[in-house]
Amino acid sequence: MTPATDRLRHWLGDARPELAVILGSSLGGLADAVANARVLPYAGVPRFPRPSVSGHSGEVIVGDVAGRSVLLLKGRAHPYEDGDAAVMRPVIEALAGLGIRRVLLTNAAGSLLPAVGPGRIMLITDHINLSGMNPLIGEAGDERFVSMTGAYDASLAEGLRAAAKAEAIDLAEGVYAWFSGPSFETPAEIRMARTLGADAVGMSTVPETILARRFGLRVAALSVITNLGAGIGGASPSHAETKSEGAKATADMTRLVTRFVQDLDHGR
Ligand code: HPA
């Protein structure tokens, strides 16, 4: 058991979260939907990262959503902060160590589809790693050779589609391409990503998916579209826009995730 798992196990006490949710840029508003919340700063957990990005606060929250215990990770660290693609490894490893089998990753992303504009939520069905990095580089042993086929769990995705339908949320879906950032893409890179089959671009999530699969977690992932990719209709994305547009999707994200959790059956 890692020291982080040990610390979290003590802190959780009797709570047995059924799902972990990693909250992306300015999606922290979801945390307000948690009943009986208890909060532990990342600083209190051994080897947990210290997110340095505004809009990412760094707290573990446990509480109830729709009557089920859920663990929220509010704030993530990104590989672009110090070049470490495995910066979230202690977090993902701790989730597995705690026996949490499902993780929902959320992020803010730029859309490559003019018809899917700011404020829309996109279900991630697959990804393209354009970063040149991989969080498993440097790991020894055969467990590093993780299959990425079906990385985004089909049954959890079905649960998110059903939740969106029940909440009358127009859920987009598509392929997310990971650029390292922190600079935004050029218009030429955005055209390239589109040509390669991506529907959205962002600077996170993919390394966490790889780590989650490494540790046997089932993954669901959602992007909040905060802008159109650079150059599409003259778009020139900014972090300020990511934060303000991301926050505007809080109400829809909260309804979607609450319904998803409510209908999360043990088979899913
Ligand atoms: N590119 C990369 N990351 C992002 C974007 C984008 O356009 N929007 C929000 N995060």
Side-chain angles (χ1 to χ4, degrees), residues 108-110 184-185 201-203 226-227 229 237 242:
F184 285 96
E185 301 73 30
V201 293
M203 307 177 191
T226 55
N227 57 279
T242 300

Side-chain angles (χ1 to χ4, degrees), residues 44-247:
V45 187
R47 293 204 264 282
F48 262 37
R50 304 290 130 82
S52 66
V53 187
S54 60
H56 288 264
S57 64
E59 292 171 338
V60 189
I61 300 165
V62 68
D64 302 324
V65 172
R68 291 175 188 254
S69 181
V70 169
L71 191 76
L72 299 188
L73 289 306
K74 186 177 176 184
R76 63 154 54 89
H78 304 76
Y80 63 68
E81 291 173 57
D82 64 1
D84 178 9
V87 63
M88 290 293 280
R89 183 175 176 121
V91 176
I92 303 292
E93 196 170 4
L95 300 181
L98 290 168
I100 298 174
R101 311 297 340 149
R102 298 175 281 215
V103 63
L104 170 62
L105 308 174
T106 68
N107 63 44
S111 170
L112 304 186
L113 307 173
V116 180
R120 290 285 295 281
I121 302 174
M122 187 187 94
L123 172 71
I124 299 178
T125 54
D126 204 347
H127 75 226
I128 300 174
N129 181 356
L130 293 174
S131 74
M133 297 188 271
N134 189 297
L136 302 179
I137 288 176
E139 179 173 328
D142 286 356
E143 285 175 323
R144 69 185 129 171
F145 300 113
V146 175
S147 170
M148 295 302 293
T149 306
Y152 297 87
D153 189 270
S155 168
L156 294 178
E158 211 35 65
L160 284 165
R161 288 188 193 103
K165 193 161 180 219
E167 293 294 332
I169 291 168
D170 189 10
L171 187 66
E173 49 182 274
V175 173
Y176 174 93
W178 176 31
F179 283 84
S180 76
S183 57
F184 285 96
E185 301 73 30
T186 63
E189 288 164 344
I190 290 296
R191 287 194 299 274
M192 175 194 74
R194 185 69 198 128
T195 301
L196 293 179
D199 301 297
V201 293
M203 307 177 191
S204 69
T205 302
V206 167
E208 293 156 26
T209 299
I210 295 169
L211 288 163
R213 295 309 297 145
R214 157 69 183 80
F215 289 106
L217 296 170
R218 294 164 59 206
V219 176
L222 294 171
S223 289
V224 168
I225 300 301
T226 55
N227 57 279
L228 293 178
I232 301 179
S236 176
S238 69
H239 189 54
E241 179 182 54
T242 300
K243 289 195 285 186
S244 64
E245 293 296 322

